[in-house]
Amino acid sequence: MQYGLTPISKLLVTENNPYNQAPAVLLYTDPAILAPWQQLHRHVLYGENAVQSTYGKDLWQCLNDNPDLSKCFNAGMASGNPVDLTVVRKYKGFKDIKTLVDVGGGIGKTLETIISSYPHIHGINYDLPHVIADAPTMPGIEHVGGSMFESVPSGDTIFIKRIMHDWNDENCLKILNNCQKALLEKGKVLISDLVLQPSGGPPQLIDMMMMVLTDGGMERTEEQWRKLLTTAGFSTINFIELLQQVWLIEAVK
Ligand SMILES: C[S@@+](CC[C@H](N)C(=O)[O-])C[C@H]1O[C@@H](n2cnc3c(N)ncnc32)[C@H](O)[C@@H]1O
């Protein structure tokens, strides 16, 4: 009898595999990440945040206080992500960008993918200081530590992937207002996130994950995105479909 990897289990092979999902699987099955799901009822019944109910602090503070979990989280976020490759393939505006700031960019993998195809771009990877401390040196990328609720580094384009769905509208507006201040004239934000479709589907599960792991985070419909971005003062808003209900939203200052 012969044994071999199936097409699905090949996604867990780590070596030389741009689609490797093993770190993401390890993150989402980590006991520390699964424990708050046991408190989901407290969110539904009393409106409590499940991570707060479990640990007495929010997810970002938990990651700050637990270096091993933080490494696991950062690796999970950075693991083989077809969305990054699809953004590079489908978005034609990268050729005109001089400075691209990735807000909440983790350890810089998304910028690395973009800049490997567009080496003229100066990349600024911006995240919390404990995340930046784990970010490897990458050509063309400057790592900057700070909080997007305080300020955002300046550039002509700001990229924000899987960030807005971590926050409620009030906090999203604070982030977008800081982006507005940081953007050069006629600058734009590029948001990569889910756009919920009336037909439903897997994103609803991610919506539940945001409900459990974040404090007020949620997936949004196109109408909700338009309202948020218009309130933040963006004029032209374009939706570009990437894959499986993940979209790139281009909003011009
Ligand atoms: C869901 S991860 C997304 C990471 C990356 N953009 C990606 O798609 O792989 C959210 C990121 O937001 C960062 N973050 C959370 N609070 C932040 C803050 N106040 N300022 C900057 N980054 C923050 C986290 O450290 C984390 O890297």
Side-chain angles (χ1 to χ4, degrees):
M1 186 182 285
Q2 286 191 333
Y3 294 90
L5 290 166
T6 63
I8 295 290
S9 59
K10 277 183 188 160
L11 292 173
L12 301 174
V13 175
T14 51
E15 274 174 31
N16 300 325
N17 176 8
Y19 297 103
N20 168 32
Q21 293 297 305
V25 172
L26 289 173
L27 168 63
Y28 295 123
T29 55
D30 191 291
I33 295 294
L34 288 177
W37 285 88
Q38 303 298 326
Q39 304 301 321
L40 177 57
H41 64 288
R42 298 194 69 83
H43 177 82
V44 175
L45 292 175
Y46 315 120
E48 288 177 18
N49 171 239
V51 175
Q52 286 277 2
S53 305
T54 311
Y55 298 114
K57 50 192 169 187
D58 74 7
L59 175 67
W60 313 113
Q61 194 58 46
C62 289
L63 295 173
N64 183 55
D65 296 346
N66 183 339
D68 287 343
L69 187 61
S70 177
K71 279 192 175 52
C72 173
F73 184 90
N74 296 337
M77 288 297 124
S79 66
N81 192 337
V83 171
D84 292 354
L85 297 169
T86 311
V87 169
V88 169
R89 193 163 48 80
K90 287 206 174 171
Y91 184 65
K92 304 300 173 203
F94 286 121
K95 62 181 184 351
D96 302 318
I97 296 174
K98 293 188 180 64
T99 301
L100 180 62
V101 183
D102 190 358
V103 172
I107 57 173
K109 278 284 168 192
T110 298
L111 268 185
E112 185 184 45
T113 303
I114 295 171
I115 287 177
S116 65
S117 290
Y118 293 92
H120 70 278
I121 293 178
H122 169 59
I124 300 178
N125 180 52
Y126 185 60
D127 208 300
L128 292 168
H130 74 271
V131 178
I132 292 301
D134 279 340
T137 304
M138 296 167 178
I141 297 177
E142 187 187 339
H143 292 295
V144 177
S147 171
M148 60 198 174
F149 292 108
E150 303 292 325
S151 65
V152 165
S154 188
D156 51 304
T157 308
I158 291 173
F159 196 79
I160 319 181
K161 179 168 138 260
R162 293 190 290 193
I163 299 298
M164 310 299 272
H165 76 163
D166 294 336
W167 304 96
N168 63 19
D169 284 0
E170 191 188 345
N171 281 320
C172 283
L173 285 173
K174 285 185 192 159
I175 299 166
L176 289 170
N177 285 336
N178 283 338
C179 291
Q180 281 278 14
K181 286 185 205 152
L183 280 173
L184 305 178
E185 206 180 330
K186 297 219 168 97
K188 56 181 77 159
V189 293
L190 297 174
I191 297 172
S192 171
D193 242 315
L194 294 170
V195 178
L196 289 180
Q197 305 297 313
S199 54
Q204 268 72 7
L205 178 62
I206 303 178
D207 192 34
M208 276 189 72
M209 190 189 293
M210 293 306 111
M211 186 165 80
V212 171
L213 295 181
T214 71
D215 198 355
M218 67 182 101
E219 304 305 336
R220 294 179 169 85
T221 62
E222 178 174 338
E223 195 185 344
Q224 289 170 315
W225 280 113
R226 284 192 186 280
K227 189 168 168 223
L228 197 58
L229 287 160
T230 311
T231 309
F234 289 92
S235 50
T236 312
I237 301 164
N238 299 313
F239 286 75
I240 302 157
E241 188 168 17
L242 298 173
L243 44 98
Q244 288 182 341
Q245 302 196 24
V246 180
W247 292 66
L248 187 69
I249 307 169
E250 180 192 51
V252 184
K253 189 171 173 170

